Amino acid sequence: MSTPAATPLKSPIDRPAVAHHFDDWQQQYDACVLGMWVFLVTEVMFFGGLFTAYMVYRSTYPHAFAAASQSLDVLWGTVNTFILLTSSLTMALGVRAAHLGQSRRAAQFLGLTMLLGAAFLGVKFYEYAHKYHEGLAPLLGLPFAYAGPDAGARKIFLGLYFGMTGVHALHMIIGVVLLGCFAVPAWLNRLGPGGALKIEIAGLYWHFVDLVWIVLFPLLYLIDRSAHV
Amino acid sequence: MSAAPEPSPAASPAEPVHVSRNYLNASYTVRSWLLTVDHKRIAILYLLGVTLFFFLGGAAAVLFRLELMTPQADLVESETYNKLFTLHGIIMIFFFLVPAIPAVLGNFLVPIMIGARDLAFPKLNLMSWYLFMIGGVFTLWVTVAGGVDTGWTFYTPYSSTYSNTYVMATAVGIFITGFSSILTGLNFVVTVHKMRAPGMTWFRLPLFIWSHYATSLIMILGTPVLAITILLVALERGLGIGIFDPKLGGDPILFQHLFWFYSHPAVYIMVLPAMGVQSELVAAFSKNRVFGYRFVAYASIAIAVLGFLVWGHHMFVSGQSLFAGMVFSILSFLIAIPSAIKVFNWTATLHRGTVAFDTPLLYAIGFIGLFTIGGLTGLFLATMAVDVHVHDTYFVVAHFHYIMVGGTVMAYLGGIHYWWPKITGRLYPEGWARFSAVLVFVGFNLTFFPQFLLGYLGMPRRYHVYDAGFQVLNVMSSAGASILGVAYLFPMCYLLWSLKYGRSAPANPWGAVGLEWTTPSPPPTYNFVETPIVTWEAYEYPGSNPAEVAD
């Protein structure tokens, strides 16, 4: 996957005008890519706070977390994992096409990525609705269907589930919109100078959001399934 | 590097070189300011913003210092008092101290000092100013609407469940402003990595840049944690997701961990840039290479790294385990080492130098003294047994004001004076400036030294009714605060005066080295007529200390 990144100048559509404050295209390219990586570092720290909260409560209430995890639908979680992993593939193909100057093709792959992202979000909101109907959404003082001795801890688990996947979903929505901003001009062949760079940077973001899910999925859906199934 | 750059005859008529054109007179429209992507103009925008907030936060302090003149409650009632110190803390920390030096001086100087035309992401830079102002507007709205009373620390569950004041709006304001800080940090990191002029190696960078780089690392790594912490408080308050409220099964100590994971490093966000300014001032006014340049540079990075490992010293009495307390205590002692290295090296720089006691140096010397007191009293607080005694007393208040006001504000004012000729092209009246610098020092010490004594005697912070025995020291403190308030108004007046009546500044009024002094005052929009090629070390003053043996 790193070949397009290593040869940014190969792309025929990319003989871009360098912005006024950069000396040359290479500097601009490096700065932009580094900027996105630094931003992703801030994202790691942002999600890190959530993961810390999760770790604290999981170690405080291990059994309630394992039990509450059973109420999540592992099938839909798995489907969503496949959807997102596939979207990372199409994203990578889109970046490659953009670097090769295949504007239309890049747009197709970006569109496909957006579609997969939307599918993920659809499944996610279906799951949310399902939890709401089951009475397992501990939000806004809604009645909580489970009343066992560890109800408080289960509420925390489901609260964290909504909080963590919610923040993740918000990132997905931003990602889909972001890709749309590049897919349309790519389709119209109006990507402009530096278009491949923009798509590559959007791709970095997309892969990161995908990666967060790869961690969220086992933490939330797959706690100790073997012991209970 | 000719002193007066002239248009070269070879320049094509399409690209005239405007010698007299600079970033200030390039355009006069409001639009050209509000939509500018010039880092220097954005620095000016920030200067206006932080000055507004500084005086607003100061006004709150004036009110509660007045209240504290007497042991009884006579000016405000307790709820108003709570709102006043909360407002003071939030505004001064998030809207003044954190952005002050990086967003004003850093924005202006980072690209110039490394020989670049702008920061790596100029539009992002403008966006961060807007985020800052939007966050500020939220806070102003909170102030007008009725205030918030949680203290700037927002401890849960009070903030997440019980407080009936405008916690959410304040949280939104701080959340948004946090992103302005993150974007500034991101911009600086990328700029320092990728935009340095030819020949500007890492160890030729001014120490101002090193400390801003270290600050940016903290902004990038710490501020997102504050953001998620605020978001979790909002989720708890708004949606009822139990994270911090023990009634919902949550753990209030987790909030303190997350909060201080940002807010202790935030102290270094506030003081590291001040240290950078300090290095520049000391070198320029002793006409000397900073003693032990590399040690000072590495000390900035060491402070940034260690700063992330000491947050638990805020929680010695919060039910943290004794073992954790010991570890945090030792780590807090450790961070004194790089701080002390800097203090010793500045002193050594002055010792060998040809010292000129101009206004910026007066502030710098004030910084050294006050920061030393602030730092040493920090060691008291890092000692667990002593901390139990002085925890949550005025001793803590005095300690962090010595660091933040005695350190950061002194350096900020010193820096503003030092670079004022560069920023505005005007010289300020030196006599007034020296007088105010001394007045700030006197007022500051009279305000805050009595608070060490008050705290040690046991006066708790955040109460407006106190034992009558504490009155004398409180009156001293309030008297000092009034002097300090006036001393802060002076620079405001004569600096504004200098904009119209001050003498024009030459390119290098101090005879200092550094790329910012090689370009006209004020600099042209793209900073340099032509990109400089750096062939000299930092602080290469004639006859200064020999450079450290190069590797």
Side-chain angles (χ1 to χ4, degrees):
Chain A
M1 278 307 121
S2 67
T3 32
T7 54
L9 281 172
K10 264 199 174 162
S11 147
I13 60 163
D14 248 354
R15 297 272 179 223
V18 177
H20 72 87
H21 56 297
F22 290 111
D23 289 332
D24 52 38
W25 170 244
Q26 189 64 45
Q27 187 188 32
Q28 177 168 353
Y29 178 89
D30 290 347
C32 292
V33 172
L34 179 64
M36 193 54 182
W37 277 105
V38 174
F39 178 73
L40 295 183
V41 169
T42 75
E43 288 277 31
V44 169
M45 297 307 290
F46 184 78
F47 279 98
L50 282 173
F51 286 123
T52 305
Y54 174 91
M55 281 193 297
V56 167
Y57 292 118
R58 180 161 168 189
S59 63
T60 312
Y61 310 113
H63 300 296
F65 264 48
S69 168
Q70 305 293 313
S71 59
L72 301 183
D73 195 328
V74 74
L75 176 66
W76 281 118
T78 310
V79 168
N80 253 354
T81 307
F82 272 108
I83 292 176
L84 259 199
L85 283 176
T86 313
S87 83
S88 259
L89 172 69
T90 56
M91 184 72 233
L93 290 170
V95 172
R96 185 175 161 72
H99 274 300
L100 293 175
Q102 302 161 343
S103 200
R104 276 281 166 114
R105 210 168 159 71
Q108 287 166 351
F109 278 123
L110 291 189
L112 202 57
T113 312
M114 289 167 69
L115 218 59
L116 289 165
F120 174 93
L121 287 168
V123 171
K124 201 74 239 153
F125 290 120
Y126 166 76
E127 284 188 79
Y128 286 164
H130 193 59
K131 286 281 151 306
Y132 171 76
H133 289 302
E134 282 183 328
L136 289 176
L139 309 172
L140 301 167
L142 289 173
F144 195 60
Y146 179 80
D150 57 355
R154 289 195 185 202
K155 269 188 181 174
I156 291 185
F157 175 85
L158 283 155
L160 281 170
Y161 164 77
F162 276 98
M164 295 168 96
T165 57
V167 172
H168 177 259
L170 185 68
H171 279 80
M172 290 286 300
I173 293 169
I174 293 170
V176 171
V177 173
L178 193 68
L179 292 188
C181 294
F182 301 130
V184 174
W187 181 255
L188 300 172
N189 240 325
R190 282 198 212 128
L191 214 42
L197 170 59
K198 287 176 189 160
I199 291 177
E200 181 180 336
I201 287 175
L204 284 175
Y205 174 83
W206 189 266
H207 295 310
F208 169 80
V209 177
D210 185 1
L211 203 60
V212 171
W213 177 257
I214 300 301
V215 182
L216 283 178
F217 175 58
L219 285 185
L220 294 170
Y221 288 79
L222 301 181
I223 303 177
D224 209 8
R225 288 266 163 188
S226 59
H228 296 270
V229 173
Chain B
M1 277 311 120
S2 65
E6 287 169 300
S8 90
S12 75
E15 293 177 333
V17 181
H18 295 290
V19 177
S20 60
R21 288 304 250 183
N22 59 56
Y23 81 101
L24 287 172
N25 65 15
S27 172
Y28 290 102
T29 60
V30 174
R31 185 189 155 89
S32 76
W33 279 92
L34 292 181
L35 293 181
T36 183
V37 288
D38 183 342
H39 65 103
K40 300 181 288 302
R41 285 193 163 205
I42 295 170
I44 302 286
L45 293 176
Y46 264 114
L47 178 64
L48 298 175
V50 299
T51 307
L52 170 76
F53 286 113
F54 178 70
F55 282 101
L56 192 67
V62 166
L63 283 176
F64 63 65
R65 267 333 306 174
L66 272 176
E67 165 61 49
L68 290 168
M69 295 273 284
T70 59
Q72 315 84 28
D74 20 40
L75 184 63
V76 294
E77 44 191 48
S78 32
E79 281 165 14
T80 315
Y81 183 81
N82 292 347
K83 288 174 183 171
L84 282 176
F85 74 69
T86 303
L87 192 71
H88 173 72
I90 289 173
I91 289 187
M92 284 303 199
I93 289 174
F94 296 111
F95 296 95
F96 176 70
L97 287 164
V98 167
I101 297 180
V104 179
L105 296 174
N107 238 329
F108 195 93
L109 292 163
V110 166
I112 303 184
M113 280 185 167
I114 65 171
R117 285 187 284 281
D118 207 322
L119 289 172
F121 306 114
K123 287 179 198 157
L124 214 56
N125 195 20
L126 181 65
M127 183 171 142
S128 67
W129 181 74
Y130 275 101
L131 290 175
F132 170 74
M133 290 310 285
I134 292 169
V137 166
F138 266 97
T139 309
L140 289 178
W141 178 75
V142 167
T143 312
V144 178
V148 60
D149 67 348
T150 58
W152 81 277
T153 46
F154 290 101
Y155 269 23
T156 54
Y158 184 68
S159 65
S160 62
T161 310
Y162 299 104
S163 174
N164 287 320
T165 53
Y166 291 83
V167 179
M168 282 291 255
T170 317
V172 170
I174 293 173
F175 186 85
I176 295 172
T177 307
F179 278 92
S180 109
S181 185
I182 291 172
L183 295 180
T184 302
L186 188 154
N187 230 331
F188 284 177
V189 165
V190 175
T191 305
V192 174
H193 270 281
K194 298 292 178 195
M195 310 281 286
R196 283 171 285 127
M200 182 58 95
T201 61
W202 280 87
F203 288 105
R204 281 177 177 168
L205 289 172
L207 290 164
F208 183 89
I209 301 293
W210 274 96
S211 64
H212 273 74
Y213 184 81
T215 307
S216 304
L217 292 183
I218 305 177
M219 285 172 164
I220 287 166
L221 296 173
T223 318
V225 178
L226 177 73
I228 192 69
T229 310
I230 292 174
L231 189 69
L232 286 172
V233 170
L235 286 179
E236 180 159 310
R237 208 178 154 88
L239 294 181
I241 294 180
I243 306 286
F244 302 129
D245 186 351
K247 216 170 60 189
L248 302 169
D251 183 355
I253 304 292
L254 177 63
F255 172 83
Q256 297 184 21
H257 277 292
L258 289 173
F259 178 79
W260 288 115
F261 182 84
Y262 164 76
S263 293
H264 193 79
V267 174
Y268 300 105
I269 294 182
M270 299 177 226
V271 85
L272 267 170
M275 292 169 157
V277 170
Q278 184 70 8
S279 297
E280 299 302 314
L281 300 185
V282 166
F285 291 94
S286 58
K287 292 284 177 290
N288 203 357
R289 181 188 306 282
V290 173
F291 180 82
Y293 169 94
R294 289 196 180 207
F295 276 93
V296 180
Y298 284 133
S300 293
I301 305 295
I303 288 173
V305 173
L306 285 172
F308 274 107
L309 306 174
V310 301
W311 79 87
H313 69 218
H314 292 270
M315 301 164 60
F316 285 153
V317 297
S318 295
Q320 177 179 252
S321 80
L322 187 62
F323 179 72
M326 282 160 60
V327 172
F328 281 122
S329 176
I330 291 167
L331 288 165
S332 306
F333 283 131
L334 272 184
I335 204 164
I337 296 172
S339 311
I341 286 175
K342 291 191 170 219
V343 170
F344 287 128
N345 286 14
W346 294 322
T347 317
T349 310
L350 287 168
H351 170 60
R352 296 283 186 82
T354 317
V355 181
F357 287 95
D358 291 314
T359 309
L361 189 74
L362 294 183
Y363 281 109
I365 291 175
F367 177 103
I368 294 179
L370 301 180
F371 177 77
T372 304
I373 295 176
L376 289 177
T377 49
L379 293 180
F380 291 38
L381 294 166
T383 313
M384 280 195 284
V386 181
D387 184 69
V388 172
H389 175 58
V390 293
H391 186 86
D392 245 350
T393 69
Y394 268 85
F395 191 89
V396 179
V397 175
H399 156 69
F400 70 70
H401 280 88
Y402 263 77
I403 297 288
M404 292 179 186
V405 186
T408 306
V409 179
M410 291 295 267
Y412 174 66
L413 287 174
I416 288 283
H417 283 85
Y418 178 53
W419 284 293
W420 188 256
K422 182 56 60 186
I423 295 172
T424 64
R426 298 292 180 150
L427 297 172
Y428 52 81
E430 181 68 22
W432 278 105
R434 288 189 197 186
F435 173 67
S436 331
V438 173
L439 205 60
V440 166
F441 186 80
V442 172
F444 174 84
N445 280 298
L446 188 57
T447 309
F448 292 105
F449 201 82
Q451 296 187 4
F452 277 125
L453 305 177
L454 281 171
Y456 201 77
L457 294 172
M459 180 171 166
R461 62 194 283 204
R462 293 180 171 175
Y463 288 88
H464 71 318
V465 177
Y466 56 85
D467 187 274
F470 294 134
Q471 188 172 10
V472 174
L473 288 168
N474 267 300
V475 170
M476 282 171 74
S477 180
S478 293
S482 59
I483 296 176
L484 192 58
V486 172
Y488 284 146
L489 284 173
F490 276 134
M492 175 94 168
C493 297
Y494 64 73
L495 289 177
L496 284 176
W497 176 89
S498 79
L499 288 181
K500 192 158 169 61
Y501 304 105
R503 283 184 294 127
S504 288
N508 187 1
W510 311 112
V513 297
L515 282 176
E516 78 268 32
W517 303 111
T518 64
T519 184
S521 303
T525 298
Y526 289 165
N527 297 343
F528 299 96
V529 177
E530 53 186 80
T531 303
I533 296 170
V534 182
T535 54
W536 57 89
E537 305 301 313
Y539 313 113
E540 212 167 77
Y541 286 98
S544 72
N545 287 333
E548 290 141 77
V549 181
D551 37 336

